[in-house]
């Protein structure tokens, strides 16, 4: 089940603190599939990266239309694309 499907079935608003899922939420928000408050990543003195939780308020009409028209499923390795640790081919 895709993240968009999970959000459509969830009781909103919902809070997400997992950095990998927050990156996926950014993609959905950029595609106008969700309405969310996603704070920017901040550099702190104590920690190299500090990211606050994201709050998803709605699945937009565009997101619901995408679900109705049967958008392709997310690849199983999608987390590797957003983790920043994906290995380069030939390396």
């Amino acid at each position: 089940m895709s993240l968009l499907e999970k959000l459509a079935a969830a009781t909103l608003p919902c809070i997400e603190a997992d950095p990998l899922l927050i990156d996926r939420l950014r993609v959905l928000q950029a595609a106008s599939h969700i309405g969310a408050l996603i704070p920017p990543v901040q550099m702190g003195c104590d920690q190299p990266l500090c990211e606050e939780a994201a709050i998803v308020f709605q699945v937009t009409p565009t997101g619901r239309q995408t679900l109705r028209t049967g958008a392709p499923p997310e690849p199983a390795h999608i987390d590797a694309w957003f983790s920043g640790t994906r290995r380069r081919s030939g390396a």
Side-chain angles (χ1 to χ4, degrees), residues 37-75:
L37 174 61
I38 305 175
V41 176
Q42 297 183 7
M43 299 294 283
C45 297
D46 300 357
Q47 301 174 358
L49 291 176
C50 178
E51 190 164 28
E52 295 180 27
I55 303 170
V56 179
F57 295 105
Q58 69 170 343
V59 175
T60 65
T62 302
R64 294 199 184 277
Q65 178 66 28
T66 299
L67 290 172
R68 280 193 298 275
T69 59
E74 295 175 352

Side-chain angles (χ1 to χ4, degrees), residues 16-48:
E16 183 54 59
D18 181 354
L20 290 177
L21 287 179
I22 291 174
D23 282 342
R24 291 171 62 191
L25 291 174
R26 283 189 176 95
V27 173
L28 291 174
Q29 186 178 40
S32 299
H33 290 171
I34 62 169
L37 174 61
I38 305 175
V41 176
Q42 297 183 7
M43 299 294 283
C45 297
D46 300 357
Q47 301 174 358

Side-chain angles (χ1 to χ4, degrees), residues 86-91:
R86 184 175 170 203
R87 293 190 178 139
R88 300 177 120 197
S89 61

